[in-house]
Amino acid sequence: MKQSRRIVALLLALIIVSALLPVSSFAAYKYQNLKFNQWYKLKDYDYDKYDTVYKIRVTADTAIIMNWKNQKDDDVYATIYSDKECDESVEDILDSNKSSGQNGVVLYPGTYYLRMHDDKETTQVKFIKKSVKSINKPNYCLQNAISLKAKKQVEFAQTQKQNYDRWYKIKLTKSQKITITTNKIPESYYIYDSNLNEIRCKGNSSNHTITTYGNQSKGTYYIVFYDNVSELYDNGHYHIFSWK
């Protein structure tokens, strides 16, 4: 009788402990190293069938860049986490508003984890990685402004170690509006004329653009992306943009 009571007590204790543990500790994740320059097709996972988690390890400040295509549903995500249980999100780098595109995130040295999901199972993604040192340029002031042709796509990374203004010089050969398209919701991007007068712009968060209110006279203009160190927490910001 005493033995039976002891067994019952142990079972009750196990049930109580199990109820108190976080759900993530029971998640039967399948861990795999992320393969770069390879297309992955996103899957739809049932609640009782846990998805594959991809491991990313970086030894220096690194830009992880994702290309995606065939995205047909809003219920998709590709989220990077800082912990194995996938509780602490770093950034969701898939824009569900676009059927195809490119986005990225800057990761500091360490190990990260990636989960991806698509209800319709149509989205395909491919990842590449670049060192922050290889993409950043010393265009931190007007004198170092980089000349940029229309429709040419450029990239840079704001990090805790390399957080500074980015200056670009453009030339209009005719009167026209200036539109900047980025991978981020428009913030801290400004356009100036050759006398450094700010040009008024309007932003569109749905397609990540800012556009001058009216046509601008032909001549030299500057696009400036100000540092955003106050917005940097556990990861940096990867930017891609072009103008026309």
Side-chain angles (χ1 to χ4, degrees):
M1 180 66 71
K2 290 183 178 180
Q3 184 69 17
S4 298
R5 289 177 178 174
R6 187 177 295 112
I7 292 173
V8 171
L10 285 172
L11 289 172
L12 287 173
L14 285 172
I15 292 172
I16 293 172
V17 170
S18 298
L20 293 175
L21 286 175
V23 174
S24 60
S25 65
F26 292 98
Y29 293 142
K30 296 180 294 182
Y31 294 93
Q32 295 181 11
N33 290 325
L34 180 68
K35 294 182 180 180
F36 292 94
N37 302 304
Q38 170 182 305
W39 285 101
Y40 287 88
K41 188 173 183 180
L42 272 57
K43 297 181 180 180
D44 176 24
Y45 293 93
D46 298 326
Y47 287 106
D48 59 348
K49 186 178 180 182
Y50 291 96
D51 51 332
T52 300
V53 173
Y54 297 93
K55 184 186 294 186
I56 305 170
R57 178 168 175 76
V58 295
T59 57
D61 291 359
T62 303
I64 304 297
I65 304 155
M66 182 185 71
N67 294 275
W68 74 89
K69 60 184 180 181
N70 300 328
Q71 196 287 110
K72 298 180 180 180
D73 188 63
D74 288 341
D75 194 7
V76 297
Y77 62 79
T79 306
I80 295 177
Y81 297 86
S82 60
D83 63 316
K84 191 173 183 179
E85 293 76 20
C86 296
D87 290 328
E88 301 296 328
S89 172
V90 173
E91 188 164 338
D92 187 352
I93 58 176
L94 176 56
D95 185 347
S96 62
N97 293 320
K98 295 182 178 181
S99 61
S100 63
Q102 186 180 64
N103 198 9
V105 63
V106 175
L107 300 180
Y108 301 138
T111 301
Y112 299 84
Y113 300 88
L114 168 70
R115 290 181 65 197
M116 301 184 288
H117 173 271
D118 178 13
D119 270 358
K120 292 188 179 296
E121 298 191 339
T122 61
T123 307
Q124 296 181 60
V125 298
K126 180 174 69 173
F127 294 85
I128 61 175
K129 62 178 177 178
K130 298 180 180 180
S131 69
V132 166
K133 289 182 179 179
S134 72
I135 63 176
N136 279 344
K137 310 298 180 184
N139 55 327
Y140 52 82
C141 62
L142 173 65
Q143 289 72 20
N144 290 2
I146 294 175
S147 295
L148 186 60
K149 294 182 178 180
K151 298 183 180 180
K152 179 177 174 57
Q153 185 170 278
V154 295
E155 60 185 350
F156 65 91
Q158 296 282 29
T159 72
Q160 291 178 352
K161 293 180 180 178
Q162 297 188 37
N163 186 70
Y164 52 86
D165 299 346
R166 317 291 169 132
W167 285 74
Y168 298 89
K169 181 167 63 174
I170 66 175
K171 288 189 177 181
L172 302 186
T173 58
K174 62 180 181 179
S175 176
Q176 66 174 79
K177 288 184 178 180
I178 301 173
T179 298
I180 302 173
T181 302
T182 79
N183 64 317
K184 301 283 188 182
I185 295 175
E187 54 184 14
S188 301
Y189 310 160
Y190 295 89
I191 301 174
Y192 298 94
D193 65 17
S194 57
N195 295 316
L196 298 185
N197 296 309
E198 183 180 340
I199 307 298
R200 292 182 65 242
C201 298
K202 54 184 176 181
N204 188 328
S205 59
S206 63
N207 59 15
H208 298 178
T209 63
I210 61 172
T211 304
T212 57
Y213 274 99
N215 287 354
Q216 306 304 310
S217 302
K218 67 177 184 178
T220 299
Y221 294 83
Y222 296 94
I223 299 173
V224 182
F225 294 72
Y226 285 112
D227 69 87
N228 54 359
V229 68
S230 62
E231 300 172 19
L232 297 180
Y233 297 101
D234 296 328
N235 63 290
H237 289 175
Y238 173 77
H239 295 265
I240 315 167
F241 83 98
S242 63
W243 74 276
K244 64 179 182 179

